[in-house]
């Protein structure tokens, strides 16, 4: 196990969890729990104001297989940390989706779409609509402004500079008169103005509101073999399927014969939200959703300490073996 695989992320400190020695009673089901109730998805007394709250850019539904162990499932992490946006259902319970065009099922398959490809398919059409939207108002006035009536000899670039400034005198030798010097100052002022308006126009085009292709994502929380019964349910059949980029899991729970690219549920939710943000919400990311891995990071460090850096864990032994076999085949 890596010493700190999430060091670059903005995950809140979980030190206070180490100070909780006794179990507490869940205020809803009255069962004994440690940090949160994994059945009711609520923090316990004493932690409710310390556990971070995460606001997501879309809604998440998790369909959990009934045989999946509640206490070991990471789907509860998402439901506790992002309570307003994440809901967990135990199969065969699946909610109704009136507008199925805005819902996707996160599941790999031959017909699954990659989010990047989905974004690229929308980008051409969206860009055209954005330009048309801007040109209907700002760009019209921009194009008709005196800035666009400059002499051909003065061609500005995006920094407000130009390739040729001023006008040649009547003798054609470049010796400018007082009048031409005034023209030059006027040219420079107008060119700077054009450069600034160019920058503003491109900024508006870049930040023009993008319409996300979906507003809700469904995850299946189960072992790989258990997914077959859920994925074939008629209530999920006609939904658009998307799959995530290939990433290596940091999960410590062993699943026989599964590669390291099979993520835990909370990892999958986190990476979907991150990609969704980058592609459809904002080009800038400032750690808004990193706390989705709050409990996962805490448990990772606890297990790493308890199991001598993870060397004795079966899942990491298997991954090390797979890596060696991969390197040997290459």
């Amino acid at each position: 196990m890596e010493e700190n695989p999430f060091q670059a992320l903005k995950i809140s400190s979980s030190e206070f969890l180490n100070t909780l020695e006794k179990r507490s009673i869940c205020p809803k089901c009255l069962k004994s729990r440690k940090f949160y109730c994994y059945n009711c998805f609520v923090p316990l007394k004493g932690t409710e104001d310390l556990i971070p709250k995460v606001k997501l850019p879309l809604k998440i539904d998790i369909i959990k297989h009934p045989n999946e162990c509640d206490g070991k499932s990471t789907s509860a992490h998402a439901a506790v940390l992002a309570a307003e946006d994440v809901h967990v259902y135990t199969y065969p319970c699946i909610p109704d989706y009136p507008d199925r065009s805005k819902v996707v099922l996160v599941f790999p398959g031959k017909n699954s779409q990659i989010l990047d490809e989905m974004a690229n398919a929308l980008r051409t059409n969206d860009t055209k609509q954005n330009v048309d939207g801007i040109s209907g108002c700002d760009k019209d006035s921009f194009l008709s402004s005196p800035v666009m009536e400059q002499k051909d000899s003065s061609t500005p670039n995006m920094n407000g500079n130009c390739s040729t400034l001023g006008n040649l005198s009547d003798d054609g030798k470049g010796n400018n008169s007082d009048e031409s010097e005034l023209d030059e100052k006027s040219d420079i002022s107008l060119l700077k103005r054009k450069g600034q308006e160019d920058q503003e126009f491109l900024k508006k085009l870049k930040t023009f509101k993008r319409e996300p292709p979906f507003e809700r994502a469904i995850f299946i929380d189960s072992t790989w073999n258990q997914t077959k019964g859920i994925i074939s349910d008629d209530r999920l059949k006609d939904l658009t399927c998307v799959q995530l980029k290939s990433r290596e899991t940091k999960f410590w729970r062993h699943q026989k014969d599964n590669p390291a690219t099979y993520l835990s549920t909370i990892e999958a939710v986190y990476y979907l939200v991150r990609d969704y943000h980058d592609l459809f919400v904002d080009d800038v990311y400032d750690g808004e959703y990193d706390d989705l891995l709050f409990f996962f990071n805490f448990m990772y460090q606890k297990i790493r300490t308890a199991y001598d850096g993870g060397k004795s864990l079966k899942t990491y032994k298997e991954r090390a073996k797979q890596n060696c076999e991969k390197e040997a085949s290459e």
Side-chain angles (χ1 to χ4, degrees), residues 64-80:
K64 187 171 67 67
H65 193 280
N67 292 339
E68 189 72 9
C69 180
D70 292 338
K72 294 182 178 180
S73 172
T74 62
S75 60
H77 298 185
V80 173

Side-chain angles (χ1 to χ4, degrees), residues 128-307:
K128 182 180 183 302
Q129 290 179 354
N130 292 345
V131 171
D132 290 343
I134 294 175
S135 64
C137 47
D138 303 273
K139 197 178 179 185
D140 276 348
S141 59
F142 168 67
L143 292 174
S144 63
S145 69
V147 175
M148 299 304 293
E149 298 175 1
Q150 296 306 301
K151 299 176 176 63
D152 292 338
S153 60
S154 300
T155 305
N157 62 25
M158 288 309 298
N159 294 318
N161 301 322
C162 61
S163 56
T164 307
L165 290 177
N167 300 306
L168 293 176
S169 63
D170 290 340
D171 61 10
K173 296 180 181 179
N175 298 315
N176 296 335
S177 62
D178 292 341
E179 183 178 350
S180 65
E181 288 177 359
L182 290 174
D183 288 341
E184 179 177 332
K185 291 179 181 179
S186 177
D187 283 344
I188 293 174
S189 175
L190 289 171
L191 289 167
K192 285 182 177 179
R193 180 177 164 191
K194 181 186 185 306
Q196 292 171 354
E197 294 192 13
D198 258 349
Q199 297 272 14
E200 288 300 315
F201 173 73
L202 291 180
K203 186 184 295 184
K204 287 181 181 180
L205 180 60
K206 183 177 180 182
T207 60
F208 203 94
K209 183 179 179 181
R210 289 167 287 185
E211 186 68 27
F214 58 92
E215 299 171 350
R216 184 179 297 270
I218 302 172
F219 289 83
I220 297 175
D221 182 14
S222 69
T223 63
W224 180 250
N225 291 331
Q226 292 170 344
T227 61
K228 296 177 182 178
I230 300 178
I231 199 67
S232 60
D233 192 290
D234 289 338
R235 293 169 291 178
L236 301 177
K237 272 188 176 180
D238 63 342
L239 291 174
T240 298
C241 288
V242 299
Q243 66 183 62
L244 303 173
K245 296 177 184 177
S246 180
R247 286 153 169 133
E248 185 171 319
T249 183
K250 305 303 177 186
F251 200 25
W252 48 89
R253 184 180 175 187
H254 179 64
Q255 290 194 35
K256 186 178 180 181
D257 300 327
N258 285 345
T261 53
Y262 279 40
L263 304 173
S264 65
T265 302
I266 189 61
E267 289 174 297
V269 170
Y270 170 73
Y271 286 123
L272 173 83
V273 172
R274 276 297 317 271
D275 291 345
Y276 186 92
H277 177 94
D278 293 340
L279 292 170
F280 308 118
V281 179
D282 199 326
D283 296 324
V284 178
Y285 178 71
D286 193 30
E288 292 90 337
Y289 321 118
D290 289 357
D291 270 334
L292 280 174
L293 298 175
F294 175 79
F295 289 119
F296 189 85
N297 180 50
F298 173 75
M299 292 304 301
Y300 180 95
Q301 297 300 338
K302 294 283 285 186
I303 289 172
R304 186 178 183 277
T305 300
Y307 290 91

Side-chain angles (χ1 to χ4, degrees), residues 1-9 250 297 300-301 304:
M1 299 176 75
E2 300 172 51
E3 183 174 352
N4 192 353
F6 310 112
Q7 187 173 8
L9 304 185
K250 305 303 177 186
N297 180 50
Y300 180 95
Q301 297 300 338
R304 186 178 183 277

